Amino acid sequence: MEHVKCLIIGSGPAGYTAAIYAGRANIAPVEYCGMQTGGQLTQTTEVENFPGYPEGVDGNQMMMDLRQQAERFGADIRDGMIVKADLSVRPFRVTTDEGKEISCDTMIIATGASAKYLGLADEKKYSGQGVSACATCDGFFYRKKVVAVVGGGDTACEEASYLAGLASKVYLIVRKPFLRASEVMQRRVLENEKITVLFEHNATGLYGENGVEGMHVVKRKGEADEEHYDIPIDGFFLAIGHKPNSDLFKEYLETDEVGYIKTFDGTPRTNIPGVYAAGDVADPLYRQAICAAASGCKAAIEADRFLREME
């Protein structure tokens, strides 16, 4: 069994930043990138709001930059997934998808969260070409354009309100005849003249030659007065929630009702000393690359301190 001082699970801004700091601390971190090397940012086109890139940067390029920086400081970055973890013993033990067993003194979990999608084939077809799951990340590209947001909860209302400050018009597609959002958020949406709420509507598809140009919708699906029609739009935003990739650790770590790993006292510490959670897997609120990177930094510093105390 291979033994390492610090094991980082997951890539993306949190994982790579943790690897940079752990590498510079000379604790020889080993990082497994997971099923999506580079994380969610590899699915977007241009990132404009990460410090240090005044002209913006391609999401894949940015992740390559972070990876190269981590490798420069000695991080051992490996492709592959961790499929089994045992946090009940020390050192902690994990198994990779190739059956390799590794033990570690500290662990940084940076497995992220996956946006929930409707399951339409067009969502994948137009990924990065008009389909997004983050208004804060991509809303800037739709200034003075027409967009649609799918969802009826607080997140959907918040994203619709945010986009209304940028876009010329926002359609909020709500499956039910009411909003599930809090009263304050409902009022904010319903009183915004730029937002049109389409109750009892479902998006059934998207169309466009060079990116999203419109969506297919059905009103009152399954009812006698069911109606199908198209709405021209430039951007399609999913706001039906995220699923934190924490299932592997739920047996050992405290999570909230959705599955986000709980951290304590403003740190990346979990309920198990020596185990840290960084990035979107522990962040239900912000879900931004810069926040993930910051938490990865904190996690590596905590891991280094823990190791020095052990010694």
Side-chain angles (χ1 to χ4, degrees), residues 46-49 54-56 132 134-145 147 159 162-168 237 288:
E46 191 171 9
V47 179
E48 290 193 324
N49 56 3
E55 302 301 322
S132 173
C134 179
T136 311
C137 309
D138 300 324
F140 185 77
F141 300 111
Y142 298 92
R143 287 171 297 170
K144 299 182 180 179
K145 295 185 178 182
V147 300
E159 301 233 322
Y162 175 81
L163 288 167
L166 299 166
S168 60
F237 289 83
Q288 296 298 299

Side-chain angles (χ1 to χ4, degrees), residues 16-17 19 46 127 156 172 174 183 203 212 242-243 246 251 260 277 295:
Y16 285 150
T17 303
E46 191 171 9
S127 178
L172 184 58
V174 183
E183 193 172 322
V212 171
H242 284 72
K243 183 185 184 303
S246 61
E251 181 181 349
Y260 287 97
S295 64

Side-chain angles (χ1 to χ4, degrees), residues 275-294:
V275 178
Y276 309 96
D280 286 10
V281 74
D283 179 9
L285 294 176
Y286 302 108
R287 298 194 299 271
Q288 296 298 299
I290 189 65
C291 300

Side-chain angles (χ1 to χ4, degrees), residues 221-297:
K221 183 178 180 180
E223 301 298 328
D225 57 348
E226 177 179 296
E227 180 184 355
H228 293 257
Y229 62 99
D230 295 342
I231 300 176
I233 58 170
D234 302 294
F236 186 77
F237 289 83
L238 282 304
I240 53 178
H242 284 72
K243 183 185 184 303
N245 302 319
S246 61
D247 289 352
L248 195 62
F249 314 101
K250 277 187 175 180
E251 181 181 349
Y252 310 101
L253 299 180
E254 293 181 20
T255 65
D256 68 9
E257 64 277 3
V258 178
Y260 287 97
I261 296 174
K262 288 184 178 181
T263 55
F264 301 94
D265 302 324
T267 74
R269 299 173 196 152
T270 68
N271 58 293
I272 297 180
V275 178
Y276 309 96
D280 286 10
V281 74
D283 179 9
L285 294 176
Y286 302 108
R287 298 194 299 271
Q288 296 298 299
I290 189 65
C291 300
S295 64
C297 160

Side-chain angles (χ1 to χ4, degrees), residues 20-297:
I20 290 169
Y21 275 78
R24 290 185 78 249
N26 201 32
I27 56 177
V30 169
E31 177 176 13
Y32 273 84
C33 289
M35 63 181 176
Q36 188 176 29
T37 300
Q40 293 185 74
L41 281 188
T42 58
Q43 292 185 308
T44 190
T45 49
E46 191 171 9
V47 179
E48 290 193 324
N49 56 3
F50 197 92
Y53 295 98
E55 302 301 322
V57 61
D58 176 81
N60 282 281
Q61 183 60 53
M62 179 178 149
M63 290 302 97
M64 287 173 60
D65 291 345
L66 291 180
R67 177 171 180 153
Q68 289 172 8
Q69 191 173 359
E71 289 175 331
R72 175 191 165 201
F73 293 116
D76 181 354
I77 301 178
R78 306 174 183 178
D79 293 327
M81 295 176 59
I82 301 299
V83 296
K84 186 178 179 183
D86 185 354
L87 307 186
S88 66
V89 295
R90 289 188 186 274
F92 310 118
R93 294 186 178 185
V94 300
T95 306
T96 72
D97 52 354
E98 295 181 340
K100 181 180 178 65
E101 292 189 330
I102 301 172
S103 63
C104 59
D105 296 317
T106 61
M107 180 184 296
I108 297 174
I109 300 166
T111 46
S114 302
K116 294 179 182 177
Y117 286 82
L118 297 174
L120 306 176
D122 290 336
E123 289 172 320
K124 290 186 178 179
K125 178 181 177 181
Y126 293 105
S127 178
Q129 300 180 68
V131 172
S132 173
C134 179
T136 311
C137 309
D138 300 324
F140 185 77
F141 300 111
Y142 298 92
R143 287 171 297 170
K144 299 182 180 179
K145 295 185 178 182
V146 179
V147 300
V149 177
V150 179
D154 277 343
T155 299
C157 288
E158 187 172 338
E159 301 233 322
S161 298
Y162 175 81
L163 288 167
L166 299 166
S168 60
K169 186 174 185 61
V170 179
Y171 291 102
L172 184 58
I173 312 300
V174 183
R175 183 167 50 92
K176 298 181 180 292
F178 56 86
L179 291 169
R180 293 181 292 103
S182 62
E183 193 172 322
V184 172
M185 292 305 298
Q186 288 189 45
R187 190 164 59 248
R188 190 175 299 173
V189 163
L190 296 172
E191 292 176 357
N192 193 317
E193 59 183 19
K194 280 191 176 182
I195 301 175
T196 297
V197 183
L198 300 178
F199 290 108
E200 296 184 274
H201 277 68
N202 286 271
T204 58
L206 302 167
Y207 62 89
E209 293 295 323
N210 299 305
V212 171
E213 295 176 6
M215 63 178 172
H216 307 298
V217 297
V218 55
K219 180 180 180 181
R220 290 179 57 78
K221 183 178 180 180
E223 301 298 328
D225 57 348
E226 177 179 296
E227 180 184 355
H228 293 257
Y229 62 99
D230 295 342
I231 300 176
I233 58 170
D234 302 294
F236 186 77
F237 289 83
L238 282 304
I240 53 178
H242 284 72
K243 183 185 184 303
N245 302 319
S246 61
D247 289 352
L248 195 62
F249 314 101
K250 277 187 175 180
E251 181 181 349
Y252 310 101
L253 299 180
E254 293 181 20
T255 65
D256 68 9
E257 64 277 3
V258 178
Y260 287 97
I261 296 174
K262 288 184 178 181
T263 55
F264 301 94
D265 302 324
T267 74
R269 299 173 196 152
T270 68
N271 58 293
I272 297 180
V275 178
Y276 309 96
D280 286 10
V281 74
D283 179 9
L285 294 176
Y286 302 108
R287 298 194 299 271
Q288 296 298 299
I290 189 65
C291 300
S295 64
C297 160

